[in-house]
Amino acid sequence: MIYLDNAATTKPCALAFERAKEYVTEKFYNPSAMYKEGFAMQSELKKARSVLLSKIADESAFELIFTSCGTESDNQAIFSFAKRGNAVTTAGEHSAVSAPFAELKNRGICEPRIAPLEKDGRVNVQKLLDLIDEKTSFVSVMHVNNEMGAINDINQIAKLVKQKNPRVIFHSDGVQAYGKIPFRLAKEVDLYSVSAHKIGGLKGVGALIKRKSLVLPAYMIGGGQESGRRSGTENTFGIMQFAFAAENKFQTLKADYERLIEYRETLWNGLDQSIFTRISTQDGTPYILTVSAVGLRGEILLHMANDAGLIIGTGSACSSNAKSRYSKIALACGYDEKTADGVLRISFSQATQKEEILKAIEILNGVAFDLKKRMK
């Protein structure tokens, strides 16, 4: 079976898993315990925190709070700071951001405002800025779009947002960017969400990176872990495995980036372009290729490919229970329903091999041809 749905989740890094096993078998102590073994676990978590943070940010300016996932990190950022006036986000956000923004209105907390997308999935920056006024309290812009692969220049966007309203808290969902594209957080970014299982870590671990000078209220209340901002006994095994996976991933980040650009373009060039239309842009993340079999149903093609030995996606796995059959992101980019219905997302990882790409071309062309023939 060929697995090319890595934007949904990645296979855990075996090396990181082996290194972290001792935190289940030997170093299983509660980091909050008063005995020396507990204190030792706090020291281990401090090292992991430094590893994960230092890869993308200045440790003198930013700090990291462990959470259970990217969704929790997004929720903590939104509900902690979108508390007055209006809050602005984009039409391309993952449901971990778009659903909480809808809830802001439902709860009568503040007015959500949604900026439109460009054709390639990036936010229309000028229209985003037009939505910001003196009453705006919070802005959230996704770093890498999880369906289209488009990259927003969040450092520049944050700078422009702060120029218009310096009091705005700026957040970015960086789940599809962390460990995949080269960048460093600028001082204008206040909050940044990451997730372990997108880069070979385990499900159930994430983090919210925050500017140190920003006062973050407690989101989970109880035992006072994470300096009182996120109570709950830390998942030491998962956290350490995340840090080890990040060490492994960042070592080859630039090489992976270049190699996967080649793989992505090889896949696109090998597809039957009388059937498939390219949706994702060439200057987006090399980890995602989004196409549409216009006039065919993407979900059916997904199952046919699965039966033929290829696992791919039709968009965000977290949106698989949505009522609409159409990709909401494709519609937000201006594509019609026939195109949005045929969307397929093929996504890669550090472990993806050239032979898998060539076989995927064969399978995708075959199932699309078969489905098109049946529909005549």
Side-chain angles (χ1 to χ4, degrees), residues 12 17 71 81 88 126 145 149 258 277 291 318 321-322 354 374:
F17 185 84
T71 295
F81 295 103
V88 180
Q126 186 54 56
N145 187 281
E258 296 301 323
T277 296
V291 299
C318 294
N321 295 321
K354 184 70 170 286
R374 288 183 212 171

Side-chain angles (χ1 to χ4, degrees), residues 93-122:
E93 299 297 313
H94 187 279
S95 57
V97 170
S98 62
F101 259 77
E103 192 63 19
L104 293 175
K105 182 177 182 180
N106 294 340
R107 298 183 188 181
I109 296 172
C110 68
E111 174 199 356
R113 296 179 175 180
I114 312 299
L117 303 181
E118 303 283 7
K119 191 76 171 178
D120 63 5
R122 290 175 299 147

Side-chain angles (χ1 to χ4, degrees), residues 74 142-144 171-178 183 192-195:
D74 289 340
M142 176 181 276
H143 197 168
V144 172
H171 165 259
S172 180
D173 180 330
V175 166
Q176 296 291 347
Y178 183 83
F183 73 96
Y192 192 79
S193 303
V194 300
S195 181

Side-chain angles (χ1 to χ4, degrees), residues 46 57 59 64 68 100 110 120 153 171 208 265 272 306 355:
K46 184 178 180 180
E59 292 185 84
L64 181 148
S68 67
C110 68
D120 63 5
D153 185 350
H171 165 259
L208 180 62
E265 296 309 303
D272 185 339
N306 197 184
E355 295 75 16

Side-chain angles (χ1 to χ4, degrees), residues 12-262:
C13 172
L15 178 61
F17 185 84
E18 285 299 316
R19 287 181 66 189
K21 276 170 59 175
E22 65 175 328
Y23 295 93
V24 174
T25 58
E26 302 295 333
K27 299 179 179 180
F28 56 84
Y29 309 103
N30 190 324
S32 298
M34 297 298 291
Y35 41 77
K36 64 181 181 181
E37 289 82 1
F39 283 119
M41 287 303 95
Q42 277 292 346
S43 179
E44 298 278 10
L45 291 180
K46 184 178 180 180
K47 291 176 185 176
R49 209 183 303 273
S50 178
V51 165
L52 294 164
L53 181 59
S54 64
K55 302 300 182 186
I56 64 165
D58 180 354
E59 292 185 84
S60 68
F62 291 90
E63 57 188 331
L64 181 148
I65 299 104
F66 288 115
T67 65
S68 67
C69 57
T71 295
E72 183 188 330
S73 299
D74 289 340
N75 273 249
Q76 183 169 12
I78 295 164
F79 290 117
S80 293
F81 295 103
K83 291 194 168 186
R84 58 177 174 76
N86 63 75
V88 180
T89 190
T90 84
E93 299 297 313
H94 187 279
S95 57
V97 170
S98 62
F101 259 77
E103 192 63 19
L104 293 175
K105 182 177 182 180
N106 294 340
R107 298 183 188 181
I109 296 172
C110 68
E111 174 199 356
R113 296 179 175 180
I114 312 299
L117 303 181
E118 303 283 7
K119 191 76 171 178
D120 63 5
R122 290 175 299 147
V123 65
N124 183 309
V125 177
Q126 186 54 56
K127 291 186 177 179
L128 175 88
L129 295 173
D130 290 344
L131 294 175
I132 297 168
D133 56 29
E134 69 281 357
K135 294 183 179 180
T136 304
S137 58
F138 185 81
V139 173
S140 185
V141 177
M142 176 181 276
H143 197 168
V144 172
N145 187 281
N146 60 297
E147 291 195 25
M148 297 300 176
I151 301 173
N152 287 306
D153 185 350
I154 59 164
N155 285 340
Q156 178 63 16
I157 294 171
K159 184 177 180 180
L160 293 171
V161 166
K162 296 291 180 101
Q163 286 174 356
K164 187 158 188 184
N165 182 345
R167 296 185 303 278
V168 166
I169 302 300
F170 186 90
H171 165 259
S172 180
D173 180 330
V175 166
Q176 296 291 347
Y178 183 83
K180 295 183 178 182
I181 66 172
F183 73 96
R184 303 282 296 177
L185 289 179
K187 62 181 175 20
E188 289 83 6
V189 177
D190 297 296
L191 298 156
Y192 192 79
S193 303
V194 300
S195 181
H197 75 103
K198 304 298 187 180
I199 60 162
L202 302 177
K203 300 170 189 68
V205 182
L208 180 62
I209 295 169
K210 64 173 281 290
R211 186 166 44 80
K212 278 187 175 180
S213 58
L214 185 68
V215 178
L216 180 69
Y219 188 63
M220 302 271 285
I221 299 171
Q225 288 86 354
E226 295 302 294
S227 301
R229 285 155 317 182
R230 201 277 185 186
S231 290
T233 304
E234 295 92 345
N235 177 0
T236 309
F237 169 64
I239 287 169
M240 297 308 298
Q241 198 272 350
F242 184 15
F244 297 149
E247 284 182 328
N248 177 67
K249 188 67 189 74
F250 275 89
Q251 282 179 357
T252 61
L253 187 148
K254 291 184 179 179
D256 290 338
Y257 193 92
E258 296 301 323
R259 178 173 58 87
L260 293 178
I261 287 175
E262 178 193 340

Side-chain angles (χ1 to χ4, degrees), residues 2 4 266-267 270-272 276 305 308 310 355-370:
I2 298 170
L4 294 180
T266 296
L267 180 51
L271 292 179
D272 185 339
F276 293 100
L310 172 65
E355 295 75 16
E356 295 176 312
I357 298 297
L358 299 177
K359 185 63 177 177
I361 292 169
E362 179 185 330
I363 291 172
L364 285 169
N365 283 336
V367 297
F369 179 79
D370 288 346

